[in-house]
Amino acid sequence: MTLRIGVIGVGMIGQDHIRRLTEVLSGGRVVAVSDVDHDRARKIASALPGCTSHVTGEELIADPNVDAVVVTTWGPTHEEFVLAAIEAGKPVFCEKPLATTREACERIMSAESGAGQRLVQVGFMRRFDASYRALKDAVDSGRIGAALMMHCAHRMPEAAPNYTSEMAITDCLIHEIDLVRWLFNDEIAAVRVLKPRGNSNTQEGVDDPLFVLIELGSGILVDVEVSANIRYGYDIRGEVVGESGTVALADNTDVVLKQGAHYSGRVPSDWRERFIRAYDIEFQEWIDNLAANKPPAGPTSWDGYAATAVADAAIEAMRTGNRKTVMLATKPDFYQD
Amino acid sequence: MTLRIGVIGVGMIGQDHIRRLTEVLSGGRVVAVSDVDHDRARKIASALPGCTSHVTGEELIADPNVDAVVVTTWGPTHEEFVLAAIEAGKPVFCEKPLATTREACERIMSAESGAGQRLVQVGFMRRFDASYRALKDAVDSGRIGAALMMHCAHRMPEAAPNYTSEMAITDCLIHEIDLVRWLFNDEIAAVRVLKPRGNSNTQEGVDDPLFVLIELGSGILVDVEVSANIRYGYDIRGEVVGESGTVALADNTDVVLKQGAHYSGRVPSDWRERFIRAYDIEFQEWIDNLAANKPPAGPTSWDGYAATAVADAAIEAMRTGNRKTVMLATKPDFYQD
Amino acid sequence: MTLRIGVIGVGMIGQDHIRRLTEVLSGGRVVAVSDVDHDRARKIASALPGCTSHVTGEELIADPNVDAVVVTTWGPTHEEFVLAAIEAGKPVFCEKPLATTREACERIMSAESGAGQRLVQVGFMRRFDASYRALKDAVDSGRIGAALMMHCAHRMPEAAPNYTSEMAITDCLIHEIDLVRWLFNDEIAAVRVLKPRGNSNTQEGVDDPLFVLIELGSGILVDVEVSANIRYGYDIRGEVVGESGTVALADNTDVVLKQGAHYSGRVPSDWRERFIRAYDIEFQEWIDNLAANKPPAGPTSWDGYAATAVADAAIEAMRTGNRKTVMLATKPDFYQD
Amino acid sequence: MTLRIGVIGVGMIGQDHIRRLTEVLSGGRVVAVSDVDHDRARKIASALPGCTSHVTGEELIADPNVDAVVVTTWGPTHEEFVLAAIEAGKPVFCEKPLATTREACERIMSAESGAGQRLVQVGFMRRFDASYRALKDAVDSGRIGAALMMHCAHRMPEAAPNYTSEMAITDCLIHEIDLVRWLFNDEIAAVRVLKPRGNSNTQEGVDDPLFVLIELGSGILVDVEVSANIRYGYDIRGEVVGESGTVALADNTDVVLKQGAHYSGRVPSDWRERFIRAYDIEFQEWIDNLAANKPPAGPTSWDGYAATAVADAAIEAMRTGNRKTVMLATKPDFYQD
Ligand SMILES: [Mg+2]
Ligand SMILES: [Mg+2]
Ligand SMILES: [Mg+2]
Ligand SMILES: [Mg+2]
């Protein structure tokens, strides 16, 4: 019972997911693709056995051979494709962000709850990373007492030339935003953004690094260093501080080298190296759930909405330098666990 | 182009490989099974869509729906199934050992080279483990100079009740035997087995731990601690000592906990936890190669032969307490890289 | 030429320093003691060969046998003893704080510069800790580029019953205040104090943990977690984030134990275990400098003043919840390096 | 109550101990020196307040101002000075080896037991190293069950030009010989020396590395890699393998640097960096015991004898390639604990 998947948007990320679905995972097959660049879609489709290309995402969604949809297009187009998939009653995996405005997210929640079944999963892959899962297990086990703080660092070696300060929020911090909501099973109440001394390697006009303070409803205080040009590697750090202990992501390395008066281990060089298995597991679990006629078990439309709302507040906080309260709609019953 | 796989032997390991081929990996499907316990084979087959059961391995091999064969039966039966697969011109993945005697391994090599194509892969999964691959990359890079020694430990928490001193060689050390041949691209010249003070947790009449010394043709000296009842975990250690540095398998853990005056990380509790990904990659690469009409790229019949020859010498060395020279046949041209 | 030392204040810390000067270090001898508890002073003196007790600190300072003075009394009394030592032209080592008010510190600076020679060293022992010195060496080497941020944690297992929120600043954070001034060779410009979710192990009415943000003149942003009741140990963490790398205090342990599915190392249980060697080196270098007729090379009266000024600002910031600018007097030429 | 110490032999090691006794430690003072190079002795004495030089070690021992003697001369001269000190009833600290032949060691034991009091301490400083002491504590605690094996490495970056294979035993392995006797409170029963592939950086005619197997009376098997030219650093490793766990010396570093895709920590560059504190503690405890009129508590003449006897056996084992049994005299009652 292979799950037949249509992929809307076959840029770099879309192609990587197609490779994953085709060559790595079990139980799914890419049967249709579409892209704003029709030639690219045709080319991709012709290289995959039994795959057709569609001119629009809507056509792809309507294709009766397509059981489930993956959306990896440009953020501003997410809303229309997700809404169309809901309309068609088809499960849809949407890369983050769910949509670029709170209002768009609310329309998606409204449509999905109207449809009466969970159809949407948002692409926050860290929830599927083995280390983050072990972190959550340790927190949930009570071994460090109640969580009080979390120290995070989100470090990238080199930002793209078009990088902006806002992207530090919408493309980077967004992962910690979702992560801490999931980790502590709580909503974010307020956010502050501080600007430390700037990195001289940074793009003109960009504030880098940033230091973000996130307050959860329970009072847990999360600090996040976002460094976009730190050169040495792609390094994602996280330590939860509890009442009687702490638990932290380990520095993992395959081997330890001793040479030249030092021992050393490897830091990942990019997000692919760090999170490749998280992406695999994210999609394998999605496929397994759908194949078993279960709803997707990953981040929901509500999670996508909350992340967007917090990111909006963070951008505002960054602009003003002030603490910004996050205003969330009441969580619909439909999204209560 | 799904590879249709038949599995001979559906005990614990066979079932685990079926799960892997069915639920985890891409590009393969189990279409036939057989087992000395016919009922078990039937039951397994009935739970897999499109899978039939055969009464004998020979029947399974002859099934025209079967493209490739996996042998996970009791060791003494490996020879007959591998020979039958070669006879049928079908690729065969055989769990270690390739065969239980050097003569049987020689008959397999003879049949395979007679067939004129590489059909056999032996299940030494450590070659596919990310950490061991990083170890080999570091050695090959020359960063530690020429390799001179290697210190290994093969530690298991608790041996099965039927464990014997010979099994320390044939089931445990066999992995280091293959590993160092691959890592250093060299044959083993001699072996010694020492018996340290015994572990009181050990089965009556069993020598545990053992301390094995392996000499490679180049003079590299490998020492291997084999501890079968060390309780604390399943811990596989390896450090290569070169002329100007060393490289070692890291102690990996997902998270570091700080609690009760200590920081701590996790040691794997069994071989599944430690090597599950190595098994996945071993089979995915095997499928990918066969699907691309390439010969299998893993351990060959020669590797299986050499491992068995060294294990024989090690058992003899253990019995006598003396250094035992390993006598190998000349490596056939067919197995030269 | 043994340095003859008088110790004013022979409580717990004074006694520990006497032990250090008498039994551990070279070149110094305790020849006089005094204490508000005269009996205690007499008792201590009688146990030390060639040591007399004085009724007041002033008498001790005036004793012609005393070459140099150590002040380890209650903070509010520091000013009078330091001023008296300056007046007498004798070097004085004063445990932190130099004095409890900025004005008192200013009076000390005025007296010392009036005396025309550096006589005062303040007891910030972290500057003498091998790990912090290696941290400073790494920062100064330029290997991580310019420093941009520092993440610190100051964790203690259990605060005393009389612990207050202010003591988190004056007794704990004070060390990080001095440390970052020294590490980055810069003054502190502003400070914020946040209150995360409270630890239920904490004393009634105390805010614990605190999360403090320190801005240096250069823009470097330092965050400090102060946890006074974290149970698991005494854990002092610090990571400097530069433009192209980071450097952090290591988790040190003598041995690594593998047992019960975990590897583990030890976290210090209290400040003595963590900093005992720093105290030794602090005093040995002080003795060595004085014996060589050199001025003390440790933290100066200016450092003591600045620390007190920043602590005042931090207490104000804690009360108001707002960012508090630190106002410092112009640094006298006398204290320029 | 300062202990007045005479140092016989003021070469590099002697001078380092004089520095230690004079500038670092408490309670001792060097009042006399002698050396085969009289000018050197005079020069050293003139630089130390209150220190005289003697033409011979015997004169120095006879000097009534000398309370205790330190012998740091060339090995073959140790016997005469130690015997003279015993004859004079003065405590003597003798750098390893106690003497260069078993017979000489026996003469020393005979003289010392004849004198009826423990006067001799041998300079095996590892017993005073904090990490080794933590290792012993962990073993003695029973937390890893009974010890069964120990894996050691003794790695040095570059041997001196006059290095010989025998020096690998007498100057390097000798430390592990003493260490394991102390750690496991047991005598060594037999020893084997294997010669792995040679390091091309090694001196002509020297076997380097060596791999030594030491059997203790209890059956504990200790393996020791001795690498004299491994370039990367001075790295002393040790892991004790017990019935249910292991305990190992940690890789210590002051700071961890993250840079250039790697995290790294420091390996000591020479024995001074690694063991400087062990030497300090070794002498401080020696002074403290003597000052308290207690016998020295470090390695005894028996320990010096046993180390020499095992080293002799190891040299023989290295020459023949065979296992060599160690023959020890019966331990005199005088040396029973
Ligand atoms: Mg994602
Ligand atoms: Mg295998
Ligand atoms: Mg202090
Ligand atoms: Mg020594």
Side-chain angles (χ1 to χ4, degrees):
Chain A
M1 312 306 81
T2 300
L3 186 75
R4 296 169 307 172
I5 301 165
V7 177
I8 304 176
V10 292
M12 194 181 64
I13 290 179
Q15 289 180 40
D16 193 52
H17 287 340
I18 291 171
R19 175 194 62 76
R20 173 168 288 113
L21 295 165
T22 306
E23 301 174 21
V24 179
L25 305 181
S26 176
R29 200 157 71 78
V30 177
V31 299
V33 296
S34 71
D35 197 276
V36 64
D37 177 344
H38 302 170
D39 285 346
R40 182 161 64 175
R42 263 194 299 273
K43 214 166 126 190
I44 297 284
S46 72
L48 288 169
C51 179
T52 60
S53 75
H54 291 282
V55 174
T56 67
E58 278 75 6
E59 270 185 37
L60 179 146
I61 290 165
D63 182 341
N65 282 320
V66 169
D67 299 323
V69 179
V70 171
V71 177
T72 61
T73 50
W74 189 44
T77 67
H78 287 184
E79 180 188 6
E80 79 176 273
F81 298 129
V82 172
L83 286 174
I86 292 170
E87 176 80 10
K90 296 192 177 177
V92 54
F93 179 102
C94 181
E95 264 305 336
K96 54 105 186 152
L98 174 59
T100 49
T101 67
R102 305 164 59 114
E103 293 73 22
C105 292
E106 285 169 356
R107 286 189 289 270
I108 289 170
M109 288 194 288
S110 177
E112 189 183 25
S113 57
Q117 59 173 326
R118 296 267 184 99
L119 292 167
V120 179
Q121 178 167 327
V122 184
F124 290 119
M125 80 292 181
R126 288 197 191 177
R127 298 191 185 198
F128 303 89
D129 175 70
S131 293
Y132 274 117
R133 287 183 162 184
L135 195 71
K136 185 164 175 52
D137 285 348
V139 171
D140 290 348
S141 75
R143 275 177 289 169
I144 61 167
L148 307 178
M149 285 175 283
M150 182 174 185
H151 309 308
C152 303
H154 188 132
R155 297 176 184 155
M156 296 158 288
E158 188 169 7
N162 66 334
Y163 187 76
T164 64
S165 299
E166 281 72 23
M167 288 166 71
I169 308 296
T170 56
D171 287 20
C172 306
L173 185 73
I174 196 84
H175 285 291
E176 275 81 12
I177 290 172
D178 180 66
L179 183 79
V180 300
R181 295 182 58 258
W182 166 75
L183 186 58
F184 300 118
N185 197 24
D186 196 4
E187 295 298 347
I188 291 171
V191 61
R192 278 182 188 86
V193 179
L194 305 184
K195 298 175 182 172
R197 184 183 189 187
N199 188 331
S200 62
N201 296 320
T202 299
Q203 294 73 7
E204 185 69 27
V206 171
D207 292 311
D208 173 53
L210 296 177
F211 192 70
V212 183
L213 296 164
I214 294 171
E215 300 169 33
L216 288 160
S218 61
I220 293 173
L221 179 65
V222 179
D223 55 276
V224 188
E225 171 206 325
V226 181
S227 289
N229 291 285
I230 203 169
R231 297 293 181 263
Y232 78 87
Y234 181 82
D235 200 13
I236 302 298
R237 314 302 309 146
E239 182 186 31
V240 180
V241 180
E243 294 184 296
S244 57
T246 74
V247 59
L249 300 176
D251 273 313
N252 272 314
T253 185
D254 285 318
V255 291
V256 173
L257 187 73
K258 289 188 166 182
Q259 196 198 28
H262 290 82
Y263 68 83
S264 65
R266 194 171 154 68
V267 174
S269 51
D270 60 24
W271 55 271
R272 276 182 204 81
E273 184 178 343
R274 173 64 183 84
F275 284 118
I276 191 165
R277 285 291 299 153
Y279 286 109
D280 291 349
I281 295 167
E282 179 187 39
F283 274 97
Q284 187 69 64
E285 295 190 1
W286 181 68
I287 291 168
D288 291 351
N289 277 313
L290 298 186
N293 284 314
K294 291 196 261 183
T300 66
S301 297
W302 171 260
D303 294 318
Y305 161 77
T308 295
V310 176
D312 283 357
I315 288 171
E316 173 78 2
M318 181 168 63
R319 284 208 188 104
T320 63
N322 296 329
R323 176 175 182 278
K324 175 72 183 165
T325 303
V326 176
M327 304 298 293
L328 289 182
T330 305
K331 188 171 180 177
D333 281 351
F334 183 76
Y335 294 106
Q336 304 291 353
D337 295 320
Chain B
M1 314 291 79
T2 301
L3 186 76
R4 299 171 302 173
I5 301 165
V7 177
I8 304 176
V10 293
M12 194 182 64
I13 290 179
Q15 289 180 40
D16 192 53
H17 287 340
I18 291 170
R19 176 196 60 76
R20 175 168 287 115
L21 295 165
T22 306
E23 299 174 23
V24 180
L25 304 182
S26 176
R29 200 160 71 78
V30 176
V31 298
V33 295
S34 70
D35 197 275
V36 64
D37 176 344
H38 301 169
D39 284 344
R40 181 161 68 174
R42 262 193 301 274
K43 211 165 131 192
I44 298 283
S46 71
L48 288 169
C51 179
T52 59
S53 75
H54 292 281
V55 175
T56 67
E58 279 73 6
E59 268 184 40
L60 179 146
I61 291 166
D63 182 339
N65 282 321
V66 170
D67 298 324
V69 178
V70 170
V71 177
T72 61
T73 50
W74 189 45
T77 67
H78 287 185
E79 180 188 6
E80 79 176 273
F81 297 129
V82 172
L83 286 174
I86 292 171
E87 175 82 10
K90 296 192 178 179
V92 54
F93 178 102
C94 180
E95 265 304 338
K96 53 104 187 157
L98 174 59
T100 49
T101 67
R102 304 163 58 114
E103 293 71 24
C105 293
E106 285 169 357
R107 286 190 290 270
I108 289 170
M109 287 195 288
S110 176
E112 189 181 26
S113 56
Q117 57 173 327
R118 296 264 185 101
L119 293 167
V120 179
Q121 178 165 329
V122 184
F124 290 120
M125 79 294 181
R126 288 197 190 177
R127 298 191 185 198
F128 302 89
D129 174 69
S131 294
Y132 274 118
R133 285 181 164 187
L135 194 70
K136 183 162 176 54
D137 285 348
V139 170
D140 290 348
S141 75
R143 275 177 290 170
I144 60 167
L148 307 179
M149 286 175 282
M150 182 172 186
H151 307 309
C152 302
H154 188 132
R155 297 175 185 156
M156 296 159 288
E158 187 168 8
N162 66 335
Y163 187 76
T164 64
S165 300
E166 283 70 25
M167 287 166 73
I169 308 294
T170 56
D171 287 18
C172 306
L173 184 73
I174 196 82
H175 285 290
E176 276 80 12
I177 289 172
D178 181 66
L179 183 79
V180 300
R181 293 182 60 258
W182 166 76
L183 186 58
F184 299 119
N185 197 25
D186 197 4
E187 296 298 348
I188 291 171
V191 61
R192 278 184 189 83
V193 179
L194 305 185
K195 298 177 182 171
R197 185 181 187 187
N199 189 331
S200 63
N201 296 319
T202 299
Q203 295 71 9
E204 184 70 25
V206 171
D207 293 310
D208 174 52
L210 296 178
F211 192 69
V212 183
L213 296 164
I214 294 172
E215 300 170 33
L216 288 160
S218 62
I220 294 172
L221 180 65
V222 178
D223 55 277
V224 187
E225 172 205 326
V226 181
S227 290
N229 291 287
I230 204 168
R231 296 292 181 263
Y232 80 87
Y234 180 82
D235 200 12
I236 302 298
R237 315 299 311 145
E239 181 186 32
V240 180
V241 180
E243 293 184 296
S244 58
T246 74
V247 60
L249 300 176
D251 274 312
N252 273 314
T253 184
D254 284 319
V255 292
V256 173
L257 187 74
K258 288 186 168 183
Q259 196 198 28
H262 290 82
Y263 68 84
S264 65
R266 194 170 154 68
V267 174
S269 50
D270 60 24
W271 55 270
R272 277 182 202 79
E273 183 179 343
R274 173 63 184 86
F275 284 118
I276 190 166
R277 285 292 299 154
Y279 285 109
D280 289 350
I281 294 168
E282 178 187 39
F283 273 97
Q284 188 66 65
E285 295 191 2
W286 182 68
I287 292 170
D288 291 351
N289 277 313
L290 298 186
N293 284 312
K294 289 197 262 183
T300 66
S301 297
W302 171 258
D303 295 318
Y305 162 75
T308 296
V310 176
D312 283 356
I315 289 170
E316 173 78 3
M318 181 168 64
R319 284 206 190 107
T320 64
N322 296 327
R323 177 176 181 276
K324 175 71 183 167
T325 303
V326 176
M327 304 301 292
L328 288 182
T330 305
K331 190 172 179 177
D333 281 350
F334 183 75
Y335 294 105
Q336 303 291 350
D337 294 320
Chain C
M1 310 313 79
T2 301
L3 188 75
R4 298 169 305 172
I5 302 167
V7 177
I8 304 175
V10 294
M12 193 181 65
I13 291 179
Q15 290 181 39
D16 193 52
H17 288 340
I18 290 171
R19 176 195 60 76
R20 175 169 287 115
L21 294 165
T22 305
E23 300 174 21
V24 180
L25 304 182
S26 176
R29 200 157 71 79
V30 176
V31 298
V33 297
S34 70
D35 198 276
V36 64
D37 178 343
H38 301 170
D39 285 344
R40 182 161 65 174
R42 262 193 301 274
K43 210 165 130 191
I44 298 281
S46 71
L48 287 169
C51 180
T52 60
S53 74
H54 291 281
V55 174
T56 67
E58 278 75 6
E59 269 184 39
L60 179 146
I61 291 166
D63 182 339
N65 282 321
V66 169
D67 299 322
V69 179
V70 171
V71 177
T72 60
T73 49
W74 190 43
T77 67
H78 287 185
E79 180 189 7
E80 79 176 273
F81 297 129
V82 172
L83 285 174
I86 292 171
E87 176 81 12
K90 296 192 179 179
V92 55
F93 179 102
C94 181
E95 265 304 338
K96 51 106 185 154
L98 175 58
T100 51
T101 68
R102 304 164 58 115
E103 294 71 23
C105 293
E106 286 168 357
R107 286 190 290 270
I108 289 170
M109 287 194 288
S110 178
E112 189 181 26
S113 56
Q117 58 173 327
R118 296 265 184 100
L119 292 167
V120 180
Q121 177 166 329
V122 185
F124 289 120
M125 78 294 181
R126 288 198 191 177
R127 298 190 185 199
F128 303 88
D129 174 70
S131 294
Y132 273 117
R133 287 183 162 185
L135 196 70
K136 184 162 175 54
D137 285 347
V139 171
D140 290 348
S141 74
R143 274 177 291 171
I144 63 167
L148 307 178
M149 285 175 282
M150 183 173 183
H151 308 310
C152 303
H154 189 132
R155 297 176 183 154
M156 294 158 289
E158 186 168 10
N162 66 335
Y163 188 76
T164 64
S165 299
E166 282 71 24
M167 288 167 72
I169 308 294
T170 56
D171 286 18
C172 307
L173 185 72
I174 196 82
H175 285 291
E176 275 82 13
I177 289 172
D178 180 67
L179 182 79
V180 300
R181 294 181 60 257
W182 166 76
L183 186 58
F184 300 119
N185 197 25
D186 198 2
E187 296 298 347
I188 292 171
V191 61
R192 278 184 188 84
V193 179
L194 306 185
K195 298 175 181 171
R197 184 183 189 186
N199 188 332
S200 62
N201 296 321
T202 298
Q203 295 72 8
E204 185 70 26
V206 171
D207 292 310
D208 174 53
L210 297 178
F211 192 69
V212 182
L213 296 163
I214 293 172
E215 300 171 33
L216 289 160
S218 61
I220 293 173
L221 179 64
V222 178
D223 55 275
V224 187
E225 170 204 328
V226 181
S227 290
N229 291 286
I230 204 168
R231 297 291 182 263
Y232 78 87
Y234 180 81
D235 200 12
I236 301 298
R237 315 300 310 145
E239 181 186 31
V240 180
V241 180
E243 294 184 295
S244 58
T246 74
V247 59
L249 299 177
D251 274 311
N252 273 314
T253 185
D254 285 319
V255 291
V256 173
L257 187 73
K258 289 187 165 183
Q259 197 198 25
H262 290 84
Y263 67 85
S264 65
R266 192 169 157 69
V267 174
S269 52
D270 59 23
W271 56 270
R272 275 183 205 79
E273 183 178 345
R274 174 63 183 85
F275 285 118
I276 190 165
R277 284 292 298 152
Y279 285 109
D280 290 349
I281 294 168
E282 180 187 38
F283 274 96
Q284 187 68 65
E285 295 191 1
W286 181 68
I287 291 170
D288 291 350
N289 278 313
L290 298 185
N293 284 312
K294 291 195 260 182
T300 66
S301 296
W302 172 259
D303 295 320
Y305 163 74
T308 295
V310 176
D312 283 357
I315 288 170
E316 173 78 4
M318 182 168 64
R319 285 205 189 107
T320 64
N322 296 330
R323 177 178 181 275
K324 174 69 181 167
T325 303
V326 176
M327 303 300 292
L328 288 182
T330 305
K331 188 172 180 176
D333 281 351
F334 183 77
Y335 294 105
Q336 303 292 351
D337 296 320
Chain D
M1 316 289 76
T2 300
L3 186 74
R4 297 170 303 171
I5 301 166
V7 177
I8 304 176
V10 292
M12 195 180 65
I13 290 179
Q15 291 180 39
D16 192 53
H17 287 342
I18 291 172
R19 176 197 60 76
R20 174 169 287 113
L21 294 166
T22 306
E23 301 175 21
V24 180
L25 304 182
S26 178
R29 199 160 71 78
V30 176
V31 299
V33 297
S34 70
D35 198 275
V36 63
D37 177 343
H38 302 168
D39 285 344
R40 183 161 65 174
R42 263 192 300 273
K43 214 165 127 190
I44 298 283
S46 71
L48 288 169
C51 180
T52 59
S53 74
H54 291 281
V55 174
T56 66
E58 278 74 7
E59 270 184 39
L60 180 146
I61 292 165
D63 182 340
N65 283 319
V66 170
D67 299 323
V69 179
V70 170
V71 177
T72 61
T73 49
W74 189 44
T77 67
H78 287 183
E79 180 189 7
E80 79 176 272
F81 297 129
V82 172
L83 286 174
I86 292 170
E87 175 81 8
K90 296 192 178 179
V92 54
F93 179 101
C94 181
E95 266 302 338
K96 53 104 184 156
L98 174 59
T100 49
T101 67
R102 304 164 59 115
E103 293 72 23
C105 294
E106 286 168 357
R107 285 189 290 268
I108 290 170
M109 288 194 288
S110 176
E112 189 182 26
S113 57
Q117 59 174 323
R118 294 265 185 103
L119 293 167
V120 179
Q121 176 166 331
V122 185
F124 290 119
M125 79 292 180
R126 288 197 189 177
R127 298 191 185 197
F128 302 88
D129 174 70
S131 295
Y132 274 116
R133 286 182 163 186
L135 195 70
K136 183 161 176 55
D137 285 347
V139 170
D140 290 348
S141 75
R143 274 177 290 169
I144 61 167
L148 307 179
M149 285 176 282
M150 181 175 186
H151 308 308
C152 302
H154 188 131
R155 295 175 185 156
M156 296 159 287
E158 188 169 6
N162 66 334
Y163 188 76
T164 63
S165 299
E166 281 71 24
M167 289 166 71
I169 308 295
T170 56
D171 287 19
C172 306
L173 185 73
I174 196 82
H175 285 290
E176 275 81 12
I177 289 171
D178 180 67
L179 183 80
V180 300
R181 294 182 59 257
W182 166 75
L183 186 58
F184 300 118
N185 196 24
D186 197 4
E187 297 297 347
I188 292 172
V191 61
R192 277 185 190 85
V193 179
L194 305 185
K195 299 176 181 172
R197 186 181 186 187
N199 188 331
S200 62
N201 296 320
T202 299
Q203 294 72 7
E204 185 69 25
V206 171
D207 292 310
D208 173 51
L210 295 177
F211 192 69
V212 183
L213 296 164
I214 292 171
E215 300 171 33
L216 289 160
S218 61
I220 293 174
L221 179 64
V222 178
D223 55 276
V224 187
E225 171 205 325
V226 180
S227 290
N229 292 284
I230 203 168
R231 297 292 181 262
Y232 79 87
Y234 181 82
D235 201 12
I236 302 298
R237 316 299 310 143
E239 180 186 33
V240 180
V241 180
E243 293 184 297
S244 58
T246 74
V247 59
L249 300 176
D251 273 312
N252 272 315
T253 186
D254 284 318
V255 292
V256 173
L257 187 73
K258 290 187 166 184
Q259 197 199 27
H262 290 83
Y263 68 83
S264 65
R266 193 169 157 69
V267 174
S269 51
D270 60 24
W271 55 271
R272 275 182 206 80
E273 183 177 343
R274 174 64 183 84
F275 284 117
I276 190 164
R277 286 292 299 154
Y279 285 109
D280 290 350
I281 295 167
E282 180 187 39
F283 274 95
Q284 188 67 65
E285 295 190 2
W286 182 68
I287 291 169
D288 291 352
N289 278 313
L290 298 186
N293 283 314
K294 290 195 262 184
T300 65
S301 297
W302 171 260
D303 295 317
Y305 162 74
T308 295
V310 176
D312 283 356
I315 288 171
E316 173 79 4
M318 181 169 64
R319 284 207 189 106
T320 63
N322 296 328
R323 177 176 182 277
K324 174 73 183 165
T325 303
V326 176
M327 304 299 292
L328 289 182
T330 305
K331 189 172 179 177
D333 281 350
F334 183 76
Y335 293 106
Q336 302 292 352
D337 294 320

